[in-house]
Amino acid sequence: MNLREEYEKKLTDIDKVLSILQDNWTIVVGMTPMEPKVFLRNLHRTQASGLEIYTCLNTEPYEFCSNEEYFNRFYNYSWFFGPYNRKLSKNTYYVPNNLHQAGMNLIQSTKINVFVGVASPMDEKGFFTLSASVVYEKDVLENADIVVLEVNPNAPRTHGDTHVHISEVDYIVEVDYPLPQAELLEPAEVEKKIAEHIVELIEDGATIQLGIGGIPNAVAKFLVDKKDLGIHTEMFTESMIDLFEAGVITNKKKTLWNGKFVCTFAYGSQRMYKFIDDNPSVLFLRGRYVNDPYIIAQNDKMVSINTALMVDLTGNVCSEAIGTSHYSGTGGQLDTHRGAVKSKGGKGIIAMRSTAKDGQVSTIVPLLPQGSPITVPRQELDYVVTEWGAVRLRGLPTRKRALALISIAHPDFRDYLTKEAQKLGLI
């Protein structure tokens, strides 16, 4: 095979890609940092109708899903909502999932006509990489009828299970746009207090999973005195680079993939994308592997740190909606929590502010609002942390759970919660 000739034969433009789409097709695109922006920005121009478009954490209000003119031609299904999905909820529908099962569940239930992803440029051996995300992308690519790659020189070339050969690709569109960047949130004082309690639960030599946002960023800042931490995480974040450069993260004590960062996608600043570029210490492996609780549990002293919207007095955690108003998604929260709890010496931590709406409501509630999904069920919940302390609920009866949660609720709501717990027969 002459690789350059093969490449040129498959090289095309976005108009050609749009022209091949047919009515009622199912199309899956890469997620967040690897969204194929040229395709999504032009998708509304296709003549096809009834298209089902699977996305995850959209980073732009694309015309096909934001302009009501196109609502009768496209359905946007999303595995995880971000700010744009929430605003566009009239035509964006949530796909309930645990991250490690998301791609394979779709493959086993739906014929996938087209996969559109983003890749780093082809090397001399004919390989692209799927760059900063293989959450579901490689599984879907291998099962789609047609594969389209937007080849972007700004996409870092990554190590792990990210490689795709030219022979596996049907159409190539050359693009040149910057990758989406995650906003770096400076932790608020309340988040720093939460982080202080969390850090006390993390031992030297632990392997950790961190997400994005104020609380995870605060946790990272307070980990500076820890030694030999490792990373096995759904998402590689900016704070991990800081801890690596400070000598806190070494990955030397990991019992699985010793010496390596393990993740399934990365989302951060240009500095982070530069760090992962051709970095053999950072392995991008499929989401169905990285987030499989049985794989996670093979890391001794595994600690998962996730955030939530609310928890009821018996320990049911809701992290993805308020009643029937969808906010985000399950993502990998239950995956990583389960894996950490099954780990030798592991801990599953749910962290949250004790109040919301500027202190007007408690996030520890007697009962979840009607219609709220349960992200982590009470029988699996381990630790809950607020700015008022940390409690371990695993193994406790409902009476002790209610009392423990009331003890870390905001003082303004403790009397109310105690009375409600009594009405419910919990204490």
Side-chain angles (χ1 to χ4, degrees), residues 226-244:
K226 299 293 181 179
K227 296 181 177 66
D228 289 324
L229 298 184
I231 295 295
H232 184 110
T233 188
E234 171 185 327
M235 178 169 134
F236 188 94
T237 65
E238 192 88 10
S239 60
M240 295 171 188
I241 303 173
D242 297 330
L243 291 170
F244 175 76

Side-chain angles (χ1 to χ4, degrees), residues 34-84:
M34 295 292 104
E35 274 185 348
K37 291 190 172 296
V38 170
F39 177 78
L40 291 172
R41 288 169 181 168
N42 288 278
L43 180 55
H44 63 284
R45 298 197 295 111
T46 182
Q47 297 302 306
S49 292
L51 297 179
E52 298 185 338
I53 316 299
Y54 283 80
T55 64
C56 187
L57 192 58
N58 301 20
T59 63
E60 286 185 31
Y62 299 106
E63 282 286 301
F64 82 91
C65 59
S66 64
N67 188 332
E68 293 191 12
E69 177 184 347
Y70 305 110
F71 283 7
N72 64 339
R73 293 177 50 211
F74 302 96
Y75 298 97
N76 184 197
Y77 301 139
S78 182
W79 281 292
F80 198 95
F81 277 29
Y84 292 113

Side-chain angles (χ1 to χ4, degrees), residues 63-361:
E63 282 286 301
F64 82 91
C65 59
S66 64
N67 188 332
E68 293 191 12
E69 177 184 347
Y70 305 110
F71 283 7
N72 64 339
R73 293 177 50 211
F74 302 96
Y75 298 97
N76 184 197
Y77 301 139
S78 182
W79 281 292
F80 198 95
F81 277 29
Y84 292 113
N85 301 98
R86 291 193 285 273
K87 291 176 184 175
L88 306 174
S89 58
K90 285 183 180 178
N91 199 44
T92 299
Y93 303 89
Y94 178 60
V95 184
N97 71 100
N98 286 314
L99 182 141
H100 85 281
Q101 298 169 312
M104 294 308 296
N105 281 351
L106 178 64
I107 289 164
Q108 291 165 5
S109 65
T110 305
K111 177 180 172 60
I112 300 170
N113 301 105
V114 185
F115 169 75
V116 188
V118 177
S120 60
M122 186 177 76
D123 66 14
E124 68 279 5
K125 301 288 196 308
F127 285 95
F128 308 88
T129 78
L130 293 176
S131 192
S133 182
V134 281
V135 172
Y136 55 80
E137 289 87 344
K138 195 164 186 183
D139 290 322
V140 171
L141 179 152
E142 292 170 346
N143 287 276
D145 293 338
I146 298 170
V147 173
V148 181
L149 292 183
E150 291 190 2
V151 176
N152 189 342
N154 301 300
R157 187 169 191 81
T158 53
H159 290 251
D161 195 4
T162 63
H163 296 82
V164 176
H165 193 259
I166 181 68
S167 60
E168 300 175 83
V169 182
D170 297 295
Y171 297 96
I172 295 166
V173 179
E174 292 183 340
V175 300
D176 188 352
Y177 49 76
L179 301 186
Q181 297 190 35
E183 182 182 0
L184 299 177
L185 299 174
E186 187 62 30
E189 285 304 312
V190 65
E191 292 166 331
K192 292 177 182 178
K193 290 179 180 177
I194 295 168
E196 288 179 334
H197 295 303
I198 292 173
V199 168
E200 290 177 5
L201 299 173
I202 300 174
E203 304 173 42
D204 290 343
T207 294
I208 61 174
Q209 171 264 323
L210 280 173
I212 194 170
I215 293 175
N217 288 349
V219 169
K221 290 180 183 295
F222 282 95
L223 286 172
V224 291
D225 294 324
K226 299 293 181 179
K227 296 181 177 66
D228 289 324
L229 298 184
I231 295 295
H232 184 110
T233 188
E234 171 185 327
M235 178 169 134
F236 188 94
T237 65
E238 192 88 10
S239 60
M240 295 171 188
I241 303 173
D242 297 330
L243 291 170
F244 175 76
E245 293 179 345
V248 176
I249 291 174
T250 65
N251 293 308
K252 290 180 179 178
K253 301 291 185 181
K254 291 179 67 178
T255 50
L256 183 67
W257 293 104
N258 183 271
K260 303 290 187 181
F261 290 91
V262 170
C263 64
T264 192
F265 81 103
Y267 189 33
S269 70
Q270 188 56 39
R271 172 194 175 219
M272 190 211 66
Y273 293 130
K274 186 176 180 180
F275 180 85
I276 65 174
D277 184 43
D278 198 22
N279 187 338
S281 74
V282 184
L283 294 184
F284 285 79
L285 303 175
R286 302 183 197 220
R288 64 179 163 94
Y289 173 86
V290 173
N291 268 49
D292 185 332
Y294 293 96
I295 298 298
I296 294 169
Q298 293 175 38
N299 294 290
D300 289 353
K301 295 200 287 189
M302 181 74 211
V303 179
S304 72
I305 303 163
N306 292 295
T307 56
L309 296 173
M310 65 187 101
V311 59
D312 73 19
L313 286 175
T314 67
N316 288 309
V317 175
C318 177
S319 305
E320 56 200 90
I322 302 171
T324 57
S325 297
H326 199 77
Y327 187 80
S328 55
T330 304
Q333 183 164 134
L334 186 54
D335 289 341
T336 57
H337 194 88
R338 279 176 168 162
V341 169
K342 293 175 74 68
S343 160
K344 181 181 178 181
K347 300 179 179 78
I349 298 171
I350 298 295
M352 60 185 191
R353 294 167 177 249
S354 65
T355 63
K357 295 186 177 179
D358 296 321
Q360 296 179 47
V361 297

Side-chain angles (χ1 to χ4, degrees), residues 354-409:
S354 65
T355 63
K357 295 186 177 179
D358 296 321
Q360 296 179 47
V361 297
S362 174
T363 56
I364 296 174
V365 296
L367 298 169
L368 297 179
Q370 185 176 4
S372 298
I374 295 172
T375 310
V376 178
R378 61 187 184 177
Q379 64 268 28
E380 301 199 52
L381 183 59
D382 198 12
Y383 286 87
V384 178
V385 181
T386 73
E387 68 272 27
W388 300 99
V391 293
R392 189 185 190 200
L393 301 186
R394 193 174 4 155
L396 296 185
T398 53
R399 176 179 173 276
K400 290 186 177 181
R401 284 168 173 252
L403 291 171
L405 287 166
I406 291 169
S407 76
I408 61 167

